[in-house]
Every structure is written in C-alpha cells, then in structure tokens.
Amino acid sequence: MHPFIVRSALLFCTLALSLLGGYLFLRFTGEGGLTALDLVRTALVVFSGFWLVWGAAAAMIGVLVPARRILAHGTSKPVGMTAILVPIYNEDPVQTFSRIAAMNRGLVALGVEDRFHIAVLSDSNSSEAAALEELWFQRLASEPEIHNRIFYRRREKNVGKKAGNVEDFISRSGGAYDYALILDADSLMEGNTIAELARRMDADQTLGLLQTVPKIIHARTLFGRCMQFSSNYLSPSFARGAALMQGYEGPYWGHNAIIRMNAFAASCGLPVLTGKPPYGGHILSHDYVEAALLARAGWKVQVDPALEGSYEEGPENLLEYAKRDRRWCQGNMQHRRLVMAPGLKFWSRFTFVQGIMAYMAAPLWLALLFASISAAVFPDQPPVLAGFTMSDISIWTLGFAVIAVLILPKLMIFLRGIVDGQNKAAGGNCVALASMIGEIVFSTVLAPAMLLLQSRAVGQVLLGLDGGWPATSRAQGYVPLRDAFRATWWIVALGLFSLGLTAVMAPSIVVWVAPTMLPAVLAPLLIVGSSRIYPWLKAWLFVTQPERAPSSVISEYQAVMASWIAQGAPEQIDASSVINEHVTA
C-alpha cells in the first residue's frame, strides 16, 4: 500500500477520533453553559489526544498490516567498502572494545572482513578515559585479521558533539569508502546483519540510508528490564507501522544504521544555528535532520524492522533515563527552527513536529490536569456560551476511552504473538501476558514522575537553559534514596500540594487526582525500587528472546569481555606505538 494512502487515512482517523474525544468532553463538562476554562480544557483534550491516538495508530497498523519487507540479497561478499564508525565519549573501553572485537569476529567467520574497516572515533575529554582507551586499544588491535583494518583517532576538541565527530571522519577519510555503518558505544550487531546492510546498499544505488531497529539487551534492574521487554516485544509492531507510513522518508536514529558515504557527504552538512543554546549552536538531535536532508536530495531513507541482529543497551534507572531524555528534549525543540527549511518533504516536516510534540505533550497533559483541578476548586465561573445544554456523559466513559487508546495496541500485539510465535520467544503465552500487564502497571506508576521530569525539561529549554551533553553512565544501576530524593524532592512537594489542595477545596475529585499525584509523592521510593535487581523475577517477568537464547554476537561479546578482564590490562609501555600504527587520517 502506498505510504501516502496510509498517512492520509491515518491522519483523518486520528483527527476524527481526537475531535470526537473533544465533543464527548464538552458534553461531560456539565449543564448550564461552558466556561472559558471548559473551552481551554477541551482544546487541550483535542490537541493532546491527537498525538496519543496517533502513537497508538502506528502500533495498530503494525499489528494488522505487515509493512513492506525488503528481501535479503543472498550471502555473497559485499562489493562496496564500508567503514564501521564507533564514536565514543568517556566510555568504558573494555566493554566498548569487546563489542567491536565480537563484531569483527563475526565478519571474519563469514570471510567478508576485507570489505569492512573499523574506526574508533574518540571525543573523550577526560585524560583518564583517554589513557584507558589507548591502553585497551592495543588488546583490540591484536584481534584476528584486524591488522590494517582498525583505526583510532581522538579529537582534542569535540566540536559538534557526535555529529561533528562523524562529520570530521567523513570530511577527512570518507572518500576511501562507499558506505559507513554508524554505531554507538553500546551498539552490537551480528556479522550477518552488517554484511546484509552492505549488500542492500550495493543492490539499490538510490538507497541513501537504511536503519535497523535495535533491541535493548543486558538489562539487569527492574527499570532496565521493563524497557528491554518493551523494546523487544512491543517496539517491532510500532516500527512496522511507522515503516509503512514513512516509506522512503523514514527515520534515522543516529546509530545502528548504514549510510551511503557520497550521499551523506553531499547532502548532510549541518548548519550551526544562530544564537546561543538551547535553541542556537550545534544541532543536538542531528539524526532526524540528516534523514530529512537525504530525503530532500532525493535519496531513499528506509527502516527495516524485519532485519534482526541489531542491539543496544539502555539506561538502568529513571534518573539516567531522564538525563538522556533532557538532551533529546533540547535537540527536538531545536527543530522548530528547521520545520520550514526550504525543500524539505512534507513527511520530514511532520516528523520534526512529531518530535517536538513528543516532549510538549507532557506540559500539555499537566496543564489539563491543573485546569481540571482549578475547574473543581472554582466551580462558579460565568459561562461564555450561555444555554449550552449537555447530555449526561460519565467520567468513566472518558476514562475507559483513554485506557482503550493506551492498552488496546498492546493487547493486539499479544494476540498477534499467539499466532506468529512471538509469545514463545517471550517465555510463552502466560509469561508474555504477565510481562505485558507488568509493563502497563510499571509504566503507569512511573508516568507521573516522567511527565513532570519532561515538563521541567521543556520549561528549561523555553527559559533558555542549556542542558549540554553529559556523558552516559551505562553501568550505573542502583540509585540510593538520598540521590533519588535530591533529584525529585520538587516532584514530591508538587504532589503533596496538589493532593492537599484538592482534598480541601474539591474533595469530590480526589479519587481522580490521586492516581496521578500519589505516584509523584512516592517518586523517590519508586526510583530506588525500580533501580534494584530482582533475580527471582528473571524467569517469569519481562523475558526476552536475546536473554533466553543469546545470539552468536552477544555470546561472543560476553566471552571476549570475560577473557579480557581475566587477562588484565595490557602493558602500558606498548600502548603509544600501537596507537600510532593504527591512527586514522
């Protein structure tokens, strides 16, 4: 089915359902006329509801209508030369280089290693991190068939962050390669997958970028395992629906994707926005912009959810998630300056708006909540539409409508899993159902804290506060109560204030405010509890296929890292000579 037809039908249905929700809300607000606050709340319901329904619709499409699948192109050796780029920034070199070694071994086992070079692009600004990188790089440089195929480069100034790091390599060394596979420090990919990406670029000379859908692995805490389950079990359906809508104007998520080097070099030079951060300066969320620029130049940008063997790791607690989310929020909000850039495809502009609304939705829902509390606390407001009669619409009707939008897509994914065998990979029908219910409960309980953290992030950007690009603490799991309270005391205070005000001024709606504000009051405890490891849950909750039966590259990575740690660090005296031998231009 043509993406234009899918987009048009989906946009129409989403708009119709959101307007229907607004109409039902108008009928619910009471008899005797509509106040100005009623009209504001209705507008918030329609606007926020549109994006809520839109997200659910992508999953429904993914469940009911399979996306177009690009067929594999055999097992032949790729023709083009590919540079595998691994940008790093104050990372643990043992883990990062172990992943690279595992991927290299996969390529060697296939006999295609001569078509792939590896470039470690360090932006580390810590002298200790840089010293460890140089120390462990010599261990990586001793891997089989890797001589003259792996290079290390460290920039003295990390201008442009990750995008600038990749741009620096492309401008200096890109001419030697046909393609570039861009990874993150925590990325892991099967050798077969890497080779298949290159073969698809060989087969379609109009393909500018091919994005895989990475699945989260190696999660240990309750928070991390819930995200891991969602990534492995739920995300493929959302991605299938999105791929069907996007067609050749798909997304780029900044990693686990292959690009055509000449297309990227010619089309994706990023501007430095005028003014100071957060709206000015280098573009943080560069990936969506680069995808839009490739599409503008006439190149295909596609995502293939059916391509397996692509992995990443995720944050293990809510505070690490919020730190990363703050950077993404600032990057997406920058896109407001690019929405009307000349020559962009309609869908690229819509994607920018969608990314902005992914964060603006939080303060809008918060505004709806407080507007509703205000309407109950101050009920005697003069109507602006006198004589507007209402039919009786129960608040339960509205509540069930919202619940249906949130839960129905996940229920449909479970039912499809019974048919297509996905539930078996998640431990069987009973375990998959328990995990799905657990994910719904867990995400619902954490939603108020996440909503308030996102609202604060949006507020900081709107006030002109720059969040920077903090390094990711990938190994950090458990969060002490003191740290959790220090980060969320204002959420606790806001929850207590809202509950107290409602109980005193409008006790009739406490039952509706409590599900939102009680988790906010308990935010520090929820953060601490969800950052713990619960071994007894591993067998029956949030089970995933890579955890039950690790793929070859996952097993190889674990074996390499265990071996390296057991052997200890290499002798430092040899590090500089190895670095000089493998330095990239």
Side-chain angles (χ1 to χ4, degrees):
M1 188 179 298
H2 195 280
F4 177 78
I5 298 175
V6 178
R7 295 172 188 172
S8 301
L10 211 56
L11 284 169
F12 175 80
C13 292
T14 302
L15 182 59
L17 287 174
S18 59
L19 289 173
L20 175 62
Y23 170 71
L24 293 176
F25 188 83
L26 281 176
R27 292 179 56 189
F28 160 73
T29 50
E31 299 183 2
L34 293 171
T35 67
L37 200 54
D38 291 333
L39 296 178
V40 169
R41 288 192 294 161
T42 302
L44 289 171
V45 166
V46 173
F47 196 63
S48 302
F50 176 89
W51 297 104
L52 188 67
V53 174
W54 177 256
M60 297 294 290
I61 291 292
V63 171
L64 300 175
V65 183
R68 184 177 68 87
R69 182 171 178 175
I70 308 171
L71 298 178
H73 290 81
T75 57
S76 59
K77 180 179 291 189
V79 176
M81 282 294 299
T82 301
I84 300 176
L85 308 183
V86 187
I88 59 176
Y89 178 59
N90 297 332
E91 305 284 350
D92 180 346
V94 180
Q95 293 185 6
T96 302
F97 294 170
S98 296
R99 296 184 187 100
I100 296 173
M103 290 185 281
N104 177 67
R105 292 183 183 187
L107 294 172
V108 171
L110 292 174
V112 299
E113 73 280 356
D114 60 311
R115 310 314 296 163
F116 297 90
H117 288 177
I118 302 169
V120 179
L121 308 177
S122 174
D123 255 357
S124 298
N125 56 9
S126 163
S127 57
E128 295 162 353
L132 286 173
E133 288 169 9
E134 295 183 4
L135 186 64
W136 283 98
F137 182 80
Q138 60 180 311
R139 177 64 54 79
L140 177 60
S142 67
E143 280 292 302
E145 306 298 331
I146 208 168
H147 187 69
N148 292 331
R149 292 183 43 249
I150 188 165
F151 309 96
Y152 174 95
R153 185 270 287 135
R154 178 175 173 237
R155 293 197 300 171
E156 293 183 1
K157 296 182 179 180
N158 55 351
V159 177
K161 309 302 182 184
K162 178 183 173 182
N165 198 358
V166 173
E167 181 183 358
D168 180 78
F169 175 87
I170 292 176
S171 63
R172 292 172 179 268
S173 307
Y177 301 97
D178 300 288
Y179 320 124
L181 175 62
I182 300 178
L183 304 177
D184 266 352
D186 62 354
S187 295
L188 195 62
M189 194 174 289
E190 292 285 349
N192 281 323
T193 307
I194 296 173
E196 176 64 12
L197 288 171
R199 284 193 292 265
R200 293 189 183 184
M201 299 299 280
D202 287 339
D204 187 351
Q205 296 301 311
T206 65
L207 184 58
L209 185 150
L210 182 57
Q211 173 72 59
T212 66
V213 180
K215 296 179 179 178
I216 294 177
I217 56 173
H218 294 149
R220 299 171 297 115
T221 66
L222 179 61
F223 181 89
R225 285 177 53 77
C226 183
M227 283 193 63
Q228 179 175 271
F229 173 78
S230 179
S231 168
N232 282 264
Y233 187 78
L234 301 175
S235 292
S237 291
F238 284 87
R240 280 194 299 267
L244 190 63
M245 290 187 290
Q246 291 157 347
Y248 295 147
E249 299 160 23
Y252 171 41
W253 298 320
H255 59 94
N256 291 51
I258 192 168
I259 61 171
R260 188 173 300 276
M261 191 71 82
N262 64 343
F264 200 86
S267 309
C268 296
L270 295 176
V272 178
L273 301 178
T274 57
K276 295 181 179 180
Y279 283 120
H282 293 280
I283 297 174
L284 295 185
S285 294
H286 56 91
D287 37 19
Y288 277 19
V289 179
E290 289 158 345
L293 293 175
L294 281 171
R296 182 177 72 172
W299 296 97
K300 294 178 183 176
V301 179
Q302 291 182 277
V303 58
D304 184 7
L307 193 58
E308 298 287 343
S310 179
Y311 307 103
E312 64 175 336
E313 296 185 11
E316 292 276 24
N317 60 69
L318 180 58
L319 297 186
E320 279 299 307
Y321 177 91
K323 183 171 71 173
R324 183 184 70 174
D325 206 47
R326 171 63 175 84
R327 185 182 79 236
W328 287 355
C329 173
Q330 182 169 324
N332 281 21
M333 296 290 283
Q334 278 183 316
H335 292 167
R336 72 176 182 84
R337 300 185 59 182
L338 305 173
V339 171
M340 300 310 296
L344 295 182
K345 306 278 188 179
F346 166 78
W347 195 253
S348 298
R349 301 184 197 277
F350 183 82
T351 300
F352 285 159
V353 174
Q354 184 175 253
I356 294 169
M357 286 307 304
Y359 290 95
M360 286 300 300
L364 289 177
W365 281 112
L366 195 62
L368 176 61
L369 173 65
F370 285 115
S372 298
I373 293 176
S374 299
V377 171
F378 305 105
D380 299 325
Q381 299 179 53
V384 294
L385 293 177
F388 190 91
T389 58
M390 310 284 178
S391 302
D392 288 335
I393 295 292
S394 169
I395 192 172
W396 293 101
T397 303
L398 299 175
F400 281 126
V402 173
I403 292 173
V405 171
L406 294 173
I407 293 181
L408 185 59
K410 297 179 181 181
L411 177 60
M412 294 295 293
I413 291 171
F414 171 75
L415 294 176
R416 172 172 172 149
I418 296 176
V419 177
D420 67 9
Q422 184 182 4
N423 289 354
K424 185 177 180 181
N429 290 332
C430 293
V431 174
L433 180 60
S435 298
M436 188 187 70
I437 295 173
E439 190 275 339
I440 292 171
V441 172
F442 186 78
S443 58
T444 300
V445 170
L446 284 186
M450 297 180 75
L451 180 143
L452 288 165
L453 287 168
Q454 283 192 338
S455 298
R456 183 182 67 172
V458 171
Q460 288 173 337
V461 173
L462 294 176
L463 291 173
L465 302 177
D466 179 21
W469 192 299
T472 302
S473 303
R474 303 188 193 278
Q476 182 176 349
Y478 177 69
V479 178
L481 181 60
R482 177 182 299 178
D483 293 346
F485 185 77
R486 185 184 300 118
T488 60
W489 65 267
W490 59 276
I491 294 178
V492 175
L494 184 62
L496 287 173
F497 174 78
S498 301
L499 272 177
L501 179 66
T502 305
V504 172
M505 303 296 294
S508 61
I509 66 166
V510 168
V511 68
W512 296 103
V513 175
T516 301
M517 288 304 159
L518 273 179
V521 172
L522 299 174
L525 296 177
L526 294 173
I527 290 172
V528 172
S530 62
S531 70
R532 291 184 180 275
I533 298 173
Y534 301 94
W536 53 276
L537 285 177
K538 193 171 182 179
W540 64 273
L541 194 66
F542 303 143
V543 177
T544 62
Q545 175 68 23
E547 188 177 60
R548 294 177 66 245
S551 67
S552 58
V553 75
I554 296 175
S555 299
E556 191 68 46
Y557 158 60
Q558 294 169 339
V560 169
M561 187 167 64
S563 172
W564 285 9
I565 292 174
Q567 294 175 40
E571 293 294 332
Q572 188 158 3
I573 189 171
D574 298 324
S576 61
S577 61
V578 175
I579 290 294
N580 291 334
E581 182 181 356
H582 293 273
V583 69
T584 185

